[in-house]
Amino acid sequence: MLRTIDLRGRVLSPAELLAVVPRAEAARDEALATAARLVDDVARRGEEALREQAARFDRVSDHVIRVPAAHLDEALRDLDPAIRAALDEAISRVRAASAAQIPAPVVTKLGAGARVTQRWQPVRRVGLYVPGGKAVYPSSVVMNVVPAQVAGVREVALASPAQSAFGGRVHPVILAAARLLGVTEVYAMGGAGAIGAFAYGVAEIGLDPVDVVTGPGNNFVASAKRAVAGRVGTDSEAGATEILVVADASARPDLVAADLVSQAEHDEQASAVLVTDSVELADAVRAALPDRVAATRHTDRVIAAFDGPQSAVVLVDDIAQATAFSNAYAPEHLELQLSDPRPEDFVNAGAVFVGPYTPVSLGDYLAGSNHVLPTGGQARYGAGLSASTFLRPQQVIEYDRAALAQVRDAIVVLADAEALPAHGEAVTARFDA
């Protein structure tokens, strides 16, 4: 379990660091090709394609794709009170943190009668995806729906795979979470096909196309977002999960091991990486893993993730080299278990968890932060899901006659310089007798 990448004694350029980052590149390439075919199939054949994909991937058929209101009501009625209380708390925390992400309008006065207003408009309609293959994710309902509601989105549609164990219905806890949040448009459809359905619409089931698609999933779901990008807006490609733990000799090996296992249990393609300048810590973590892996529920899944090319123990000379490696990797989840964590130096990460009492599991549920985060190195340039995902910055320009007169000549000069004289004429026409 967990191969070793030894970077000690090496000075690596940014390009060389990127080259040594552990990734499951072959799996991602395969997922992209497959996802594109599945999306195209739904775009062309609609409901028929969705049903064929449900039979193939979810082992269900003849199910109701658009969830009736009665199913939502029933799920909330039967929800375990302890789960409902935990969801209520998560909703409250995520709502508070999401509200802080809404920018206030800003007016810039550039002179008398000249102003530009920056405002943020919500998109009209969104499609939110909640995974449902190897686990159940009511927390992802919260993480998707709450920021959209806070942003002011008017129409929210949600999709999650049909479950053979529940007669082709969406998992009841997913339905209960949706009903708790007031979502009434829910579809029993999963994987790349669900992303395609959101992007193109499926008239036979009353699904209109959306403006933005968000949500986590496996690599096929993440790749499907790439396939529909441009037709609709998307959040980051939140694919198979990643955890990078940067730790020194002060870290507790048992906690590092527990956190690596916690993310590896998601999926065989999950990435679990430890970066440390302490050989003693690395050895102690390795020693702690077998018993913890053997005792967990999803032992086989964790072992597969640890044995994959995407997981490793990385040995470095010092924390400066660890920082450089982390910033090249740009993990979805970054844990800093260091005597002097300095989170300001770790600039590329979906979310940063500082200290021994801030595990990734906290962020998955009740930190108040959002757990839909970029994977595959996209944290170098992309952000996690937030209220801003559903907002479009928009400029409103207002000039009166006198203000336009002040810049008239400069506009004409620039228009002529660009060989676009009609631009200047559109301005001077306003001052003709």
Side-chain angles (χ1 to χ4, degrees):
M1 286 187 288
L2 293 176
R3 65 194 175 102
T4 297
I5 300 174
D6 193 343
L7 301 183
R8 292 173 298 174
R10 301 170 62 183
V11 178
L12 301 177
S13 69
E16 289 169 330
L17 276 173
L18 285 172
V20 300
V21 162
R23 303 273 191 215
E25 297 293 353
R28 292 179 186 278
D29 292 343
E30 178 186 353
L32 182 58
T34 301
R37 289 195 298 270
L38 295 172
V39 166
D40 180 66
D41 194 27
V42 171
R44 289 185 295 103
R45 300 193 299 124
E47 181 181 4
E48 184 179 5
L50 285 175
R51 292 196 176 279
E52 289 179 6
Q53 291 177 24
R56 177 182 173 190
F57 300 116
D58 303 318
R59 301 181 305 282
V60 299
S61 59
D62 300 324
H63 61 298
V64 178
I65 297 180
R66 183 154 183 165
V67 176
H71 291 185
L72 292 160
D73 293 339
E74 176 186 322
L76 184 58
R77 183 196 67 209
D78 296 340
L79 183 63
D80 183 316
I83 297 175
R84 178 165 184 165
L87 285 172
D88 282 335
E89 182 65 22
I91 290 167
S92 175
R93 288 170 178 257
V94 174
R95 197 175 297 281
S98 298
Q101 297 161 351
I102 304 292
V106 177
V107 177
T108 303
K109 294 183 178 179
L110 299 162
R115 66 179 184 177
V116 176
T117 301
Q118 309 287 340
R119 68 180 186 185
W120 285 261
Q121 297 286 96
V123 298
R124 181 186 64 86
R125 176 171 170 78
V126 298
L128 311 179
Y129 185 75
V130 176
K134 294 182 173 70
V136 183
Y137 294 101
S139 58
S140 289
V141 178
V142 175
M143 300 295 174
N144 274 276
V145 173
V146 170
Q149 291 177 334
V150 169
V153 174
R154 287 186 296 169
E155 295 183 18
V156 173
L158 187 145
S160 191
Q163 303 289 314
S164 59
F166 294 95
R169 293 189 183 189
V170 172
H171 195 285
V173 181
I174 300 295
L175 294 180
R179 180 66 181 81
L180 194 60
L181 285 161
V183 177
T184 58
E185 187 180 350
V186 181
Y187 298 89
M189 58 186 188
I195 305 303
F198 277 146
Y200 289 91
V202 181
E204 305 98 307
I205 59 173
L207 173 55
D208 293 327
V210 302
D211 301 313
V212 169
V213 175
T214 74
N218 58 22
N219 285 339
F220 295 98
V221 170
S223 296
K225 290 181 186 177
R226 189 174 300 186
V228 301
R231 184 175 186 89
V232 294
T234 65
D235 63 340
S236 59
E237 294 176 20
T241 193
E242 301 166 348
I243 181 171
L244 177 69
V245 180
V246 178
D248 59 18
S250 69
R252 282 177 51 182
D254 59 325
L255 297 185
V256 174
D259 292 350
L260 293 173
V261 171
S262 75
Q263 295 306 297
E265 76 170 339
H266 275 284
D267 191 275
E268 291 84 353
Q269 295 180 355
S271 301
V273 181
L274 167 63
V275 181
T276 183
D277 62 346
S278 170
V279 174
E280 293 76 18
L281 175 73
D283 290 342
V285 171
R286 287 188 185 280
L289 283 174
D291 287 347
R292 186 168 289 278
V293 171
T296 196
R297 178 177 179 179
H298 302 295
T299 299
D300 291 345
R301 195 183 299 166
V302 173
I303 291 173
F306 283 170
D307 285 345
Q310 71 275 14
S311 298
V313 173
V314 181
L315 299 176
V316 294
D317 289 313
D318 50 33
I319 299 305
Q321 190 178 28
T323 305
F325 180 90
S326 176
N327 285 333
Y329 186 103
E332 176 191 22
H333 305 107
L334 170 63
E335 282 192 3
L336 302 180
Q337 298 197 33
L338 300 166
S339 58
D340 181 19
R342 300 183 62 83
E344 64 273 16
D345 294 339
F346 293 84
V347 294
N348 295 340
V352 184
F353 299 80
V354 183
Y357 297 100
T358 316
V360 168
S361 299
L362 172 65
D364 284 340
Y365 299 112
L366 283 169
S369 57
N370 202 295
H371 77 201
V372 184
L373 301 166
T375 61
Q378 293 191 61
R380 288 187 295 119
Y381 53 83
L385 184 64
S386 69
S388 62
T389 305
F390 305 102
L391 296 171
R392 298 158 294 152
Q394 188 178 70
Q395 300 177 87
V396 179
I397 302 95
E398 299 174 88
Y399 273 55
D400 63 19
R401 191 177 192 278
L404 180 61
Q406 284 192 329
V407 294
R408 171 180 55 183
D409 292 343
I411 293 172
V412 171
V413 167
L414 290 173
D416 289 343
E418 294 186 352
L420 297 171
H423 281 61
E425 292 160 6
V427 173
T428 58
R430 285 162 167 75
F431 299 94
D432 293 341

